[in-house]
Amino acid sequence: LLSVALLVLAATPAQAGWTAGAPHGVPFGQLFGDPGSPTRAYLLGPASLYVTDDRGASWVARSLPSSNGIDSLAAFAGPPSLLVAIDRTGAVWHSTDQARSWSAIGCCALAVDAAGPALMIGNGYRGSTDFTRSVDGGVTWTPIATPPYVTQDLAFAIAPGGVVFAWTYTGVTYRSDDLGSTWQVITGIPEGAIVPAPGIVGSLWAGGLHSVDGGATWERPAPLVPGCSADAVLGADPLVVWLTGFCSAARSLDGGVTWELAALPDGGSGPVLVGAVLDGGMAALGMGSSGPWLLEPGQEPVYRPDGLPAMAYGPLLADPLVPGSAYSGTFTTSDRGASWRPVWTYWPQSIARVAGRVITDGTESRPAAGGAPTALLDDRGATASDPLGRRAWILGPAGLRSTVDGVHLTTPGAHGLLDYGQSDSSEVPLLAAGGDAATVIATFYRWPGTVEVSHDGGRTFRARTLPVDYADGLSVDARDGRLLLVLARGRLYRSLDAGAHFRRVRSGIVATAVDPRRRGVWYAATATRLEWTQDAGRTWHLLARPPGGRTSALSAGAGRLWALTGSLLSSMALPGARR
Amino acid sequence: MIRRAIGIALATVVLVVPNAGAAVWHGGGSPPGLSFDAEAFGLDGSFLGLGTASGFGFYGLQFSSGVRIAYTAPAITGPLAERPVAGLPLGAAIVSLWRGGAGFRLLLDDGGIYASDVHGAAWSYVGSLGLFQGDMAAWAIDPRDPAHAVRVYTDGGVQRSTDGGLTWYSAYPLELPDSANAGAAAFRSDGSIVVAVGEKLWSSSDLGTTWTDLPDRPAPATIVAGAGGVLWSSDGAGLYRSDDGGAGWHRVAAAADDVVPSPDEPDVAWAIRPGEVAFTVDGGATWHRVAGARQPGPFGLLNTSYVPVPGGGRQICVFVAQGAWCSADGRAFASADRLLAGTTAGIGSVAPDPRVSGRAVGLSGGRLWETVDGAVSWHPSAAPSDPYYLSVKVTRRDDVLAGFGGVRARRHGTAAWRALGGPAALAFNVAADPATGTLYAVVGGRLWRARPGGSFRVTGARGLPLAGVDAIEIGGDGGSIAVTTGPGWWLSTDDGGTFHALRGPAKRFAVTVAPHDRFRLVAATLDGTFTSGDSGLHWWRVARRYAPSVIADPWARGRWLAIGNGVLTVSVDDGRSWHRLPGSPATSTSPSCCMLAVSPGRLWESSPDGPLGIGLAHGVWWRALPRS
């Protein structure tokens, strides 16, 4: 009786303990430095604002002054230190307490002088070509001249001495030496934003090039990779310059005479755009695809997400080999989600795990423990591995490939596999593997729905008709390759005979996972409930209610079940098996 | 259990019988030919042709894997050398290729500009035109000094580069006409540039720092700079020439689609019009038509490029799929056989002779080819010079050639072609009844028929759609005709008297009619192969494999052959069951592989893929089929 009671308890939801966590960051945002503090920076997200006072070690959320969205921020040293925000309608807001509170100042601003908050260029309304000037921080405005040619999509920069530059990214560039009362077309300005150095007359940066004579001549700083666009960010000291682009990051402490390169994450495969210069130029915060990074010449880049919101994304893959390890979006964790580190500087569409490596999109693999990637295929494809990570497959435009070590690819043959090139769809295929690493199945977003099944590792395929036109998800039982799961429009279909027949077994399902070691043990999530079956879908039982919001992905591996719920990633120990 | 095992064993034996004894494929030859994706001549007259590996990818769209092969020759006379290309990004397609510096320059559709060595094999990034960084109205790169480039945006912004596109600087903006979004730009030989957008023209001799307004003129479709600073421009009203940098233009000829000036002589140019290439050596005062340019196009409809050969000789070459023609000093275009010698063309349409074993004809490179030794060797076959050929068929009596000039036939063993009459549009889809040799075509909802030896006559067929016809299938000893306009099919089982909409087994399908059973159909769909014995009232799926090309063997009742995804299958029971056959060496999983055809006792297989489909074997192959 005791053993029966323990057995029942082992399978009850009450014992399903969840560990919730998530990578943190802001995938899309803009950083601004604060000359009033060498360690302070602001991170402006699409509808959020965060501030750090410790070089990005921790971030605190602040309120935005306007629901219209903020176009730009500018900080001034003071005292008191002043933060000026311009929203998308041109309204000007001031904060003197690091964005804790805001005061409405005026309207109609387009740009503010980097040297001080009083001088602004604006217009009557967004899109208007009736440009105006304010010398009192946006309270009152005076009409100025309209540039002679192109007037749409102009950006403005105010340089020392009342010089104003206006430009478009199509090469139209104007200069005014009288705060906009008159404009002259100027030529020979490099492509990119014009950044005047505050306090140094004639010092301009544009497109990674530097001019010391007001734009008459330009020089390219030596260390930057040619052909990579780069914009300049200046520190409080105008001699401190950071240049970052898509290929490189460099710092100069002497106005561009000498330079030091700073390492970028993942070997520089993804851009990190510096927005805030810290510590007098010794370091800088830049935005990458996952959030802020601290860059410093001579040091490895450091991801700085603490305090930023959770932002878990798919694809989700529980590591089949390493307990407590999983991959989500661009991140990985090895401590059950307590901490996360970014792995990729791009967003993979599918992740597979084999041997000691992790494969993304079929284009690269890298050691799961971290390390340099190895290139695989030229074209992106769908990739999947069997639930124990013994073998992985890649299905791309070049056909089907498989690998047992994540480095060397073989062509299994794929006889009978539909040539997806014949489809008129624009969707990528779905790929799943299981059946003791012998079964691989694929389907494509096409009509009529078909799943193609191979039980010999991809050498031969047989097409099976799906009960639905399109499949949203595919799974293969980890041990028995005849057991297939197809998720389509919330309905879960099961086949016990390798796809010859499908039967609908559940509705309202948003995600599924298969137990990596036990035949017929599957997991399925509705929006709020997690259910499981131990008899290949004949009966289903409530397993748990994952924390967080709506579940959108499940994955099981190495003793844990992972769920992507809202912006959280949660995991629990896989429940015990029925004996 | 034992009985079941024996049954399985017997079934296995039955299944493998058709594959028993390794099939022997013969032939494998093909006409010479290559398809280049871009061509250019170096200053010394050396030739460079670049090939892009492409195919149909996952997304149902044609994808390009990028430039993969460089073919070079010391001159247009060849011989070609093949080199792998290095240094170019994957997946980008070619926008433009021209000579520059010591080698060549290449603009890809990702905006990247690359420079090559003299062989065009090793490339290095030199800059970017930034094609996708805004709405560009016009751009030009100086062919004499490839460091100089200018781009003009639709808002009037102008940028220039003096380092080959690595860095771009603002130039003086232009006041473009409202809603102008396309124009042309060209560098003259003195380094000045002319820009035309809408009806306005400007010139600049300082890379856009200052501009000079030129007199307005009707919107030019093109502006091309020739030798000596001469500008050529064409619009709907005529072809114009300017000797003063665009200040004054005088009309020298009727409108042309394109004008190709000589890179060496200012008064030499070629004007390209549909069906005509005209040549001038006196700056356009007089023109004469260059013989050998085919109608219309010329040389075809797609991917035709005209490249002048530098170094004198007043020579121009035309490159089309699988072929090249050149004309020197205005003489007739002649095939550049010496350049293409030793190459192998893919051949898309092979028509075996049902009467003469080992004979077949096919189209490649815009020419008609013939083999009489079972596709071991091919030689050009005399054909009418005017049409751009669409298809060729061989009946028991005639070779039939369909092209834009109409449908023509020649009796076997004769050289004279005779027109079969009817509207020229008949040529777009001509079908031949394998049993009788009667030809069928559909235009404007009417069925046309040409009996063997006769001409096309309209029939009284009813029920045909007015829409353009994509394909016609003939079977049932000529009594069953299936016609498709794309998604829909119409079927007649009364020798073309009345057509009814055919209900297919899937949303999209292609139908083949049994040669000797007017009610039996086989349909190829994405979900497999279906057969019907009652004119499409009921369908049965007989194969799950997708096989877009299904043909019937009119000389073996019940035998069907199909190929798809690189798998060749045969059915000997009217499509009820299918068995795999070993494919020919040309068989691949390429979607365009392969075309099947049958002659008595023989199966022919060919692929339209040119050698740029890397890793593919090409040529035309045949194997014996057992007599039924």
Side-chain angles (χ1 to χ4, degrees), chain A residues 225 228 245-249 262-272 300-301 345 366 373:
Chain A
V225 176
C228 287
F246 284 87
C247 315
S248 50
L264 294 179
D266 200 17
S269 63
V272 173
E300 283 299 306
T345 52
R366 62 180 68 202

Side-chain angles (χ1 to χ4, degrees), chain B residues 196-288:
Chain B
V197 179
E199 298 182 350
K200 299 183 74 67
L201 283 84
W202 303 265
S203 71
S204 173
S205 57
D206 53 11
L207 276 180
T209 301
T210 59
W211 293 98
T212 301
D213 284 345
L214 299 175
D216 289 0
R217 58 180 303 259
T222 59
I223 285 188
V224 186
V230 173
L231 293 172
W232 300 83
S233 172
S234 181
D235 60 25
L239 178 62
Y240 299 84
R241 171 190 164 114
S242 173
D243 296 320
D244 53 8
W249 295 84
H250 53 279
R251 188 176 185 274
V252 295
D257 287 349
D258 200 2
V259 59
V260 182
S262 162
D264 307 311
E265 299 180 69
D267 288 336
V268 175
W270 293 265
I272 316 299
R273 300 185 183 89
E276 179 187 271
V277 175
F279 176 56
T280 181
V281 294
D282 53 12
T286 59
W287 296 82
H288 79 271

Side-chain angles (χ1 to χ4, degrees), chain B residues 216-611:
Chain B
D216 289 0
R217 58 180 303 259
T222 59
I223 285 188
V224 186
V230 173
L231 293 172
W232 300 83
S233 172
S234 181
D235 60 25
L239 178 62
Y240 299 84
R241 171 190 164 114
S242 173
D243 296 320
D244 53 8
W249 295 84
H250 53 279
R251 188 176 185 274
V252 295
D257 287 349
D258 200 2
V259 59
V260 182
S262 162
D264 307 311
E265 299 180 69
D267 288 336
V268 175
W270 293 265
I272 316 299
R273 300 185 183 89
E276 179 187 271
V277 175
F279 176 56
T280 181
V281 294
D282 53 12
T286 59
W287 296 82
H288 79 271
R289 190 168 168 171
V290 183
R294 295 163 192 242
Q295 301 271 359
F299 298 108
L301 297 175
L302 299 172
N303 301 324
T304 305
S305 60
Y306 296 82
V307 187
V309 183
R314 296 171 178 176
Q315 194 172 10
I316 189 170
C317 293
V318 185
F319 296 90
V320 298
Q322 308 282 18
W325 287 262
C326 297
S327 164
D329 292 318
R331 292 192 295 273
F333 280 99
S335 179
D337 286 335
R338 291 177 63 189
L339 176 71
L340 301 178
T343 61
T344 56
I347 191 164
S349 172
V350 171
D353 191 324
R355 195 178 49 85
V356 180
S357 177
R359 178 179 182 268
V361 295
L363 294 172
S364 178
R367 287 199 285 177
L368 182 66
W369 298 82
E370 181 177 16
T371 178
V372 294
D373 57 5
V376 174
S377 62
W378 292 80
H379 55 87
S381 180
S385 60
D386 56 336
Y388 174 71
Y389 307 128
L390 294 164
S391 65
V392 62
K393 301 182 188 313
V394 181
T395 68
R396 290 180 178 276
R397 183 182 186 279
D398 296 320
D399 294 340
V400 180
L401 190 57
F404 280 100
V407 184
R408 289 173 169 80
R410 71 177 174 194
R411 190 84 185 257
H412 290 322
T414 66
W417 294 85
R418 67 181 181 88
L420 298 188
L426 287 181
F428 282 95
N429 277 291
V430 176
D433 175 14
T436 64
T438 301
L439 303 176
Y440 296 86
V442 174
V443 173
R446 292 186 153 194
L447 176 70
W448 293 70
R449 180 191 293 125
R451 304 284 187 194
S455 298
F456 273 109
R457 298 277 184 270
V458 69
T459 71
R462 297 178 299 278
L464 275 172
L466 289 174
V469 168
D470 289 339
I472 303 171
E473 294 291 331
I474 311 295
D477 292 321
S480 189
I481 304 170
V483 169
T484 180
T485 61
W489 282 80
W490 280 259
L491 178 70
S492 164
T493 56
D494 57 358
D495 196 17
T498 305
F499 284 82
H500 302 281
L502 174 63
R503 191 178 68 87
K507 190 185 277 184
R508 296 181 190 176
F509 61 100
V511 160
T512 307
V513 186
H516 305 295
D517 181 346
R518 67 178 59 190
F519 304 110
R520 180 161 298 282
L521 307 171
V522 170
T525 77
L526 277 174
D527 213 27
T529 306
F530 293 75
T531 184
S532 170
D534 52 10
S535 301
L537 290 178
H538 301 90
W539 292 94
W540 288 266
R541 180 155 70 176
V542 291
R544 293 182 179 276
R545 189 180 310 283
Y546 173 60
S549 178
V550 180
I551 63 167
D553 183 350
W555 294 279
R557 185 177 289 271
R559 182 153 66 200
W560 297 74
L561 296 129
I563 192 165
N565 298 324
V567 177
L568 176 64
T569 51
V570 61
S571 168
V572 294
D573 54 6
D574 263 329
R576 294 178 184 86
S577 61
W578 293 81
H579 312 282
R580 192 161 176 169
L581 283 179
S584 83
T587 304
S588 75
T589 56
S590 166
S592 52
C593 172
C594 295
M595 305 295 289
L596 300 179
V598 289
S599 58
R602 287 187 175 189
L603 169 65
W604 298 69
E605 185 182 321
S606 63
S607 169
D609 285 316

Side-chain angles (χ1 to χ4, degrees), chain A residues 71-114:
Chain A
D71 258 358
S72 66
L73 287 176
F76 300 93
S81 64
L82 177 65
L83 190 61
V84 178
I86 300 174
D87 76 11
R88 288 178 189 152
T89 69
V92 180
W93 306 79
H94 281 184
S95 173
T96 54
D97 53 7
Q98 289 80 53
R100 289 183 180 84
S101 63
W102 293 91
S103 304
I105 302 300
C107 73
C108 315
L110 289 170
V112 60
D113 184 1

Side-chain angles (χ1 to χ4, degrees), chain A residues 361-415:
Chain A
D361 300 337
T363 56
E364 66 144 76
S365 75
R366 62 180 68 202
T374 298
L376 294 180
L377 295 175
D378 295 339
D379 300 299
R380 278 195 168 196
T383 183
S385 47
D386 85 279
L388 289 179
R390 289 167 291 186
R391 191 171 181 188
W393 289 264
I394 300 163
L395 181 56
L400 185 71
R401 302 284 189 274
S402 71
T403 178
V404 294
D405 60 8
V407 176
H408 301 93
L409 301 180
T410 60
T411 303
H415 296 296

